[in-house]
Every structure is written in structure tokens, then in C-alpha cells.
Amino acid sequence: MASNLSTPDATRVSSSRPARPTPGRKNRGTKKNKGPYPYWFYLVPGVIYGLFFLAPTFSSFYYSFTRWDLFTATWIGLDNYEQFFAEQALVIGLRNTLIYAVMTSGLKVVLGMALAVLLTSRIIARGYLRSVIFFPVLVSTIGVGLTFTVLMNPEKGLINNALGAVGVAGPGWLTNPHLAIFSVGLVDVWKGVGLATVIYIAGLVSIPQDYYEAARVDGASSWDMFRHITLPLAKPATASVIILSLIGGLRSFDLIWSMTKGGPGFASDVIASVIYKQYQAGFFGLSTAGSVVLFVLVTAIVVPLTWWLNRGETA
Amino acid sequence: MKNLRGVVGGSVAVVVSAVFFLVPFAFIFVTASKSVSESSLLKFSWPQHFVLLDNLKQALAANDYLMIIAFINSVILTVVSVAALVLLGAMVAYVWQRRGGRFAGVINVLVLAGLIVPPAVVPTIWVLQKVGLFKTMPGLILIEIAFGLPFCILLFRAFIASVPRDLDEAATVDGAGPVQIFFRVIFPVLRSVMMTVIILQTVFVYNDFQNPLYFLPGTENATIQVTLLSFQSQFNTQYNLLFANILLVTVPPLIMFMFFNRKIVEGMAAGSVKG
């Protein structure tokens, strides 16, 4: 991105102002013509970003090795990390984070693709369907969480009543410790699948219709066309959906906090909720170690995956 | 044949989507319209006594009109943050796209980092405390700006790449300075992408729960999402009021959505006039 930009820029600058051909030298000697693109436009956003995002991110590495009360920090080496990986409740949080992220992004890919294929086919009420599926994306996560907590009530909830009406005994969606994290994940998919669908629709409509017509002439079935035309050509959309939902899934907090608060017990805790609980309990060093663990986890998964998916796209 | 399949397929999809996507919203509406005792049954049914307005009034008046205060706080937070994000995001994207140069690579890394890296919570609180802005609205606004900037910059940059440089050059020849060029020439051209940025960031900031929870705790200056969750424990026997609150919080995005859809239609109409 940066390299294909700098070429035309460099030629332009050197042709209009041959006084500074070397990019390393500043134009502090030259009169007052700073060019129409002044660097001081970076100043205010740079300070805000540096102070409230970069500085906390960098200092988190130091404070994660300390016992900390915001005023004095005592170096305790790896103690926080040892505790993080030794305590059962915190290990569950780590495992749940991975389960949640993989489950939600997997389902969003599959359902988003299926809905996009449906909504780009010749069916009636497409506009209505798109709106209805997309609307939950805009709605408050807390509102959605509270509503589904009530709908998933094991005895009185609408979901189990509906299942009971067709003779299925519904489970304790949020009260069963083995199920709770998956139930929250399903609600996350319900809320987020609209965004995946919209991304896929944009990807699908950019595939030239000629490909499908040529395949049809050759006698390809609908499945063949999906498998060999739609799926490979929608790969950039798939990459976007996977990356977006993985980042969201690994960091997710709002929905889990509004539905289970990590419960029952610690059964549905994720790293983000552990960070909050340790912060509330006053263990600032431990909480910060949680932030670092989350940082490492997100970076270690998302950065190589982005590189791999984008590499495959150009190859 | 094809048409029949479209009608049947569409009808099935409409029914299925209604069950999955409309019933939860209908449930919010009917529960918010019921009496206390009826709402506690958690049934999906039309209310026997339709008392939506009473419930809304009660929900708004609860805790000395906390919901209204929270709503005002959310509006201030959203408007100021989004306005700053639009201005600062466009300024960075403009210089980044146009000038490239030494900082271009750095900014690329910073923007990507901002999109991927989860913020470290307690160190952020520590910084806010150092500058005396912890538990203040300006502090939270600055946080929203810092976390929202990378996404805005990317959107603006992609659009600015399509704005011809001739515009800047013509203005330079006319003797305009950088500030004039940016505000008089570039900024007005960015109208359509600005609309997108405003809509998306408004939704993000208005719905944000985690940052207000950490950086603006306390009830007197809480935002609407935090207040909504705090009502869960308070109204755990009054589901009608809890859902009246959920309904109130859901209405602004719904209005936004209707508005947003119309914008698309308007844009298409304008495009077809030109084309």
C-alpha cells in the first residue's frame, strides 16, 4: 500500500520542488511554503492516539510483571502469568475465548454465505429480507443480551416453550455450565450474521454472470457452480468475514457480560470478562497480564491469518 | 417455473426470517406493553392490558429520570466523538494519501495495530488518571476518538484516493494555503464517505458498552448502555419496565436504519439522474 503510493508522490514533490530531493532532510531552512499537505495535520490525532492507545499498550507489558495499585508498582516477575495459567477459572477463560471465536466466525462464514446466495438469487422480498437480517447489527448488544437471556429462560422462556410444543425438551441454555458459552455464541451469530451476509452479497454481485452462463452451457449443476465459481471467487469476502469475526470474537465482552456475567461459576468466562473481574477485585497487575495475554492471542492468530489469506488471494 | 421457485423460496424465507429475526423484537414490544404480573410470565402473547405508555413513563422516571440523563450523556458522547473523528480522520487520511513520504509506512502500521490490538484497560485508566480525565466525559470522548480513528482513516483514505489531485493543485495555484485547501476544497468533496463514517461511528459509539463501563463509571454520568444493564438487577421482578428500557434504547438505531436506507435510495436516484 505504502510503496505504490510513494512513487508518484516522490516524482511529484521533486518536480515541483527540486530543493529537497533527499527524503531524509527536513525543509526547515526553506521559506514558508510547507506544501499543501502539512505534517502538522497529524499532530492532534497523533497525540490522542499516542497518549490513549499506544502509551497504555506499551506500558501494559511492564505493569503485567508487577503488583500494582495504580500508584506504586512492585516488580514480581512472572507471578501474574503463572497465576493466570495455573488458576482453573482463568484457564477456562482462555479456552472459552478460543471456542467462542472459532464457533462464531465459522458459523458466520457458513450462514453468511448461505444467506447471501439466497438473497442474490431470484426470490421475492429480497429487500425486506436483507433489512431484517441486517437490523440486529445496529441494535444495542446489551439490549440483545438481556432479551435473549429472557427468551432462553429454561422453564418459562419462549425458546424452550416452542421446543416443548414440538416435543423436544429444551436444555438450560444459560444455566448448564457446558452449554452456556455456546448459547451466548449463538446469540452473537444471530446479531452479527447480517454483517457477514452484506459482505458476501457485495462479493457475490461482483462475480461476472458470464462465468455462470458458460458453466451452465457446459452442463454444470448448481452445486458445481457454487463449488467451482462462487466459492473460489468469493474468497476475499470470506477472508474479510473470518478476520472481522475472529477479532470481534476474541475480544468479545458485552454479550457475555450481559447474559451470564461469565457464569454459572466461571463456566462461560472469556479473557475479556476475566480482565474485568480482576480489575474490579483490585488486582490491577493480574488484570493487565490478562490484557497482554489477549493482545498476544489476537496478534498471534489474526496477523499470520491475514497474511496467509491475502497471499492466497493474489496467488 | 423460475418465477414460481422465487415466490415459494421467498415466502419460505420470509416466514423463517420472521420467526428468527422479528419475534425477538416483537417480544420486546409486547413485554414492554404488559402489566407487571403479566410480563413476569415471559409469555409471547398480546398484552391483556396495553400499558406501553405508562411503562415508558415509569421507566424514564425511575431513579430520578436516570434514563433521560443517561440518554443526554450518550448523545453528547456520540455527537462530540463522531464530529472529532470525522474531522481528525479526514485530516490524517488526506495528508497520508496525498503526501505519502516518510510517515506513510508508520501510519500504515499504526492504523492496522489500532484495528487489531485490544486496548489494555488498566494502563488506559492509569493514563487517564495522570492527565486528570478519569471518570470524566472529556476523557471518555478522547478514548472513543483514539479507538475509532484507525477505522475512519481507512475509510477516508480509500475515498480521497479517488479525488483528483488537480483540485489541490488548482487551489494552490490560486494561492490557497493548506488549511484553506483542506476545508474549502477537499472537505466538501468528501460528503458521501463522511455520511458513511458518521453513520457507522454513531452506531459504534452509541452502542459502546465496555469503554463507558471502564472509563466513566458511576451512575450520575452513566451512558445509556451501562444504565440499561444496571436496570437488569433493579427490575428483575418488573420485566415490563426492563423491556420498556430495551425498547427505548432500540428506537434510535431503528430510526437511524430507516434514515440510512433512504439515503441509499436517494443516492441511487441522484446517480441515475447523472448517468
Side-chain angles (χ1 to χ4, degrees), chain B residues 90-148:
Chain B
M91 284 170 81
V92 173
Y94 170 65
V95 177
W96 183 27
Q97 199 281 325
R98 285 296 199 253
R99 187 157 175 176
R102 271 169 295 171
F103 290 127
V106 178
I107 292 186
N108 197 26
V109 170
L110 291 181
V111 164
L112 291 182
L115 290 176
I116 295 172
V117 173
V121 177
V122 186
T124 311
I125 291 175
W126 171 71
V127 168
L128 281 169
Q129 222 160 39
K130 285 268 172 200
V131 294
L133 290 174
F134 184 45
K135 298 188 184 182
T136 66
M137 183 58 83
L140 183 58
I141 289 170
L142 288 168
I143 293 291
E144 297 288 0
I145 295 171
F147 296 174

Side-chain angles (χ1 to χ4, degrees), chain A residues 163-196:
Chain A
L163 287 175
V166 292
V168 180
W173 296 100
L174 301 170
T175 50
N176 180 340
H178 301 294
L179 204 61
I181 189 71
F182 295 100
S183 305
V184 179
L186 284 180
V187 178
D188 189 310
V189 173
W190 178 87
K191 182 168 160 39
V193 77
L195 187 61

Side-chain angles (χ1 to χ4, degrees), chain A residues 242-253:
Chain A
I242 290 178
I243 299 294
L244 272 179
S245 24
L246 267 184
I247 294 177
L250 290 169
R251 293 162 66 157
S252 79
F253 171 76

Side-chain angles (χ1 to χ4, degrees), chain A residues 5 9 12 23 37 39 42 45 49 56 63 70 122 124 128-129 132 138 140 146 156 190 251 276 295, chain B residues 6 20 22 40 92 94 96-100 102 107 110 114 116-117 126 157 165 168-169 207 214 225:
Chain A
L5 230 192
D9 263 27
R12 212 196 78 79
Y37 315 119
Y39 276 143
Y42 291 158
Y49 185 81
Y63 286 113
L70 287 181
R122 287 196 210 145
I124 57 163
Y128 155 82
L129 287 167
V132 156
L138 304 177
S140 147
L146 294 179
K156 300 193 284 181
W190 178 87
R251 293 162 66 157
Y276 184 63
F295 167 84
Chain B
F20 278 95
L22 290 185
S40 69
V92 173
Y94 170 65
W96 183 27
Q97 199 281 325
R98 285 296 199 253
R99 187 157 175 176
R102 271 169 295 171
I107 292 186
L110 291 181
I116 295 172
V117 173
W126 171 71
R157 186 187 186 280
R165 274 164 192 275
D168 332 353
E169 275 155 22
N207 282 338
Y214 277 118
Q225 306 296 336

Side-chain angles (χ1 to χ4, degrees), chain A residues 127-128 130-132 134-139, chain B residues 22 25 29 195 199 202-203 247 250-267:
Chain A
Y128 155 82
R130 278 183 208 190
S131 307
V132 156
F134 186 73
F135 182 59
V137 174
L138 304 177
V139 175
Chain B
L22 290 185
F25 290 108
F29 181 77
M195 212 50 224
I199 289 165
T202 301
V203 170
L247 188 66
T250 313
V251 166
L254 184 65
I255 295 169
M256 190 97 188
F257 185 49
M258 290 165 169
F259 183 70
F260 181 40
N261 257 357
R262 210 180 59 186
K263 269 281 155 200
I264 292 172
V265 176
E266 273 174 10

Side-chain angles (χ1 to χ4, degrees), chain B residues 201-225:
Chain B
Q201 289 300 325
T202 301
V203 170
F204 290 158
V205 177
Y206 174 83
N207 282 338
D208 187 16
F209 169 71
Q210 202 173 355
N211 294 321
L213 181 73
Y214 277 118
F215 307 124
L216 194 64
T219 45
E220 74 282 356
N221 48 12
T223 64
I224 204 152
Q225 306 296 336

Side-chain angles (χ1 to χ4, degrees), chain B residues 43-54:
Chain B
K43 284 247 183 316
F44 182 54
S45 58
W46 190 252
Q48 285 169 326
H49 305 286
F50 190 86
V51 285
L52 176 63
L53 282 181
D54 279 353

